[in-house]
Amino acid sequence: MSVPKIETIEAWKALLTTSRLLIEKVEDSLAASSLPSLAWYDTLLEIEKAGKEGIRPYKLKERLLLPQYGTSRLLGRILTAGLIEKHDCDEDGRGFVVRITSRGRQLRRKMWRVYANALCTGLEGPLTVGELKLLVDLMQKTRPA
Amino acid sequence: MSVPKIETIEAWKALLTTSRLLIEKVEDSLAASSLPSLAWYDTLLEIEKAGKEGIRPYKLKERLLLPQYGTSRLLGRILTAGLIEKHDCDEDGRGFVVRITSRGRQLRRKMWRVYANALCTGLEGPLTVGELKLLVDLMQKTRPA
DNA sequence: CCAATATAAATGCAACTGCATCTATAGGTG
DNA sequence: CACCTATAGATGCAGTTGCATTTATATTGG
């Protein structure tokens, strides 16, 4: 069918490799501090941002780009760890709402210190502000439906 | 410790999200044609590039950025599928060499058609050649050790 | 040559993921 | 209301991954 240009292939390889290496770097930093993974961080952050109201799992899965069952089980683990709480939902008897606990907030903050540090050395170090903006622009142009 | 600039955080989010979505898109295309995953493709390609000599698993794991046990098991599965062959290594009794079979070559080519197509719509479509080059440049600057 | 250490690869076990399905409630439509 | 379909969430099972360890061979230093 289609034959990609050499530039396309190079861009794809570069994107794949660098994003994987960066993610690994961040995950390694977290693990080195005996902290949970990026997935937990993202989840805690979204839930924290939802505030007192909490957030429904089906909303969460859209924001986190996770499959439904993945979200269900991830929330289960985070719940077991005491970082969030589940509350029955008044408007919808099928579902519920999750809220962050103070332990959750605390852990998220702790993770952020490590995470932020990794981002500084991994992204902010090698790139200028202009390049960072350029990257955002390219990524947004590329984002599929 | 360090406080990332807003641009850093945005760039990180954009990079994470877009790369995930693109990978998903490619994986979905492959799955929709009942073909194996990207990991298999990359592995087959590396092994095919190694040619008649074949390649040692420990080399492969470096190129594929996979952990040792992951490589070991992935090769096991690909072997079972008859896409590669294992040959004892003369110079090193601990290890062996893998070579692609003709079925392997055939499957890789088939996968490439689908893969290439996804790259064309996913990357080449939204970006110009100049932007693709820019992306390579940014990714290379960013690549961690 | 031997002992100590390093490297290649495999594997047992527990945790995690994907797929398909299941349960329960919600929201229509006649 | 009775029925049909759609959506929220959970879960059984098989396959995969991660971690730690094991096995086997290679390499180095005495």
Side-chain angles (χ1 to χ4, degrees), chain A residues 2 8 12 115 117 124 131, chain B residues 2 8 12 115 117 124 141:
Chain A
S2 2
T8 307
W12 173 246
Y115 191 179
N117 212 54
E124 195 168 292
E131 286 167 338
Chain B
S2 2
T8 307
W12 174 247
Y115 191 178
N117 214 53
E124 196 168 293
K141 272 192 182 123

Side-chain angles (χ1 to χ4, degrees), chain B residues 34-51:
Chain B
S34 306
L35 291 169
S37 67
L38 255 175
W40 282 45
Y41 180 87
D42 290 343
T43 308
L44 287 174
L45 181 59
E46 279 307 324
I47 296 173
E48 188 172 348
K49 282 200 296 189

Side-chain angles (χ1 to χ4, degrees), chain B residues 15-96:
Chain B
L15 181 63
L16 269 195
T17 307
T18 300
S19 61
R20 279 178 73 181
L21 288 173
L22 278 176
I23 291 169
E24 201 182 333
K25 206 178 150 97
V26 173
E27 295 282 18
D28 286 352
S29 310
L30 289 169
S33 303
S34 306
L35 291 169
S37 67
L38 255 175
W40 282 45
Y41 180 87
D42 290 343
T43 308
L44 287 174
L45 181 59
E46 279 307 324
I47 296 173
E48 188 172 348
K49 282 200 296 189
K52 257 198 108 176
E53 304 295 294
I55 184 170
R56 298 284 299 274
Y58 79 92
K59 268 289 169 206
L60 210 48
K61 82 172 200 278
E62 292 163 13
R63 302 202 187 160
L64 299 174
L65 304 178
L66 287 179
Q68 181 270 321
Y69 57 82
T71 309
S72 174
R73 284 171 168 146
L74 180 56
L75 288 177
R77 278 175 252 140
I78 297 179
L79 187 70
T80 301
L83 306 173
I84 58 175
E85 353 172 270
K86 239 170 137 167
H87 292 280
D88 285 344
C89 183
D90 295 333
E91 309 90 56
D92 189 339
R94 291 168 303 181
F96 53 89

Side-chain angles (χ1 to χ4, degrees), chain A residues 1-5 7-26 38 42 49 64-66 112-113 115-117 119-120 122-124 126-127 129 131-144, chain B residues 1-5 7-26 38 42 49 64-66 112-113 115-117 119-120 122-124 126-127 129 131-144:
Chain A
M1 272 262 208
S2 2
V3 178
K5 298 185 181 84
E7 288 87 356
T8 307
I9 297 174
E10 304 243 296
W12 173 246
K13 281 204 292 193
L15 181 64
L16 268 195
T17 307
T18 301
S19 61
R20 279 179 71 179
L21 287 173
L22 278 176
I23 290 168
E24 201 182 332
K25 206 178 150 99
V26 173
L38 256 175
D42 290 343
K49 283 200 293 190
L64 299 174
L65 305 176
L66 289 178
W112 176 240
R113 280 179 230 130
Y115 191 179
N117 212 54
L119 286 191
C120 285
L123 253 194
E124 195 168 292
L127 298 183
V129 169
E131 286 167 338
L132 288 167
K133 285 184 178 166
L134 208 49
L135 181 54
V136 172
D137 182 52
L138 289 176
M139 292 296 100
Q140 265 161 11
K141 273 194 181 119
T142 309
R143 183 154 320 161
Chain B
M1 272 267 205
S2 2
V3 177
K5 298 185 182 83
E7 288 87 355
T8 307
I9 297 174
E10 305 244 295
W12 174 247
K13 281 203 292 190
L15 181 63
L16 269 195
T17 307
T18 300
S19 61
R20 279 178 73 181
L21 288 173
L22 278 176
I23 291 169
E24 201 182 333
K25 206 178 150 97
V26 173
L38 255 175
D42 290 343
K49 282 200 296 189
L64 299 174
L65 304 178
L66 287 179
W112 176 240
R113 282 179 231 130
Y115 191 178
N117 214 53
L119 287 191
C120 285
L123 254 193
E124 196 168 293
L127 298 182
V129 170
E131 286 168 336
L132 288 167
K133 284 183 177 166
L134 209 50
L135 182 53
V136 172
D137 181 51
L138 288 177
M139 292 297 99
Q140 264 161 10
K141 272 192 182 123
T142 308
R143 183 154 319 163

Side-chain angles (χ1 to χ4, degrees), chain A residues 49-118:
Chain A
K49 283 200 293 190
K52 257 199 110 180
E53 304 296 293
I55 184 169
R56 298 285 298 274
Y58 80 91
K59 267 290 167 204
L60 212 48
K61 81 171 200 280
E62 292 163 13
R63 302 203 185 158
L64 299 174
L65 305 176
L66 289 178
Q68 182 271 319
Y69 56 82
T71 309
S72 174
R73 291 206 253 232
L74 180 57
L75 287 178
R77 280 175 252 138
I78 297 180
L79 187 70
T80 301
L83 307 172
I84 57 175
E85 354 173 90
K86 241 170 136 165
H87 293 280
D88 286 343
C89 185
D90 295 334
E91 310 89 58
D92 190 339
R94 292 168 302 182
F96 54 89
V97 137
V98 287
R99 286 194 223 126
I100 197 162
T101 63
S102 63
R103 281 196 54 212
R105 232 183 309 269
Q106 221 174 310
L107 178 65
R108 195 205 57 78
R109 263 189 242 114
K110 197 169 167 189
M111 290 179 79
W112 176 240
R113 280 179 230 130
V114 175
Y115 191 179
N117 212 54

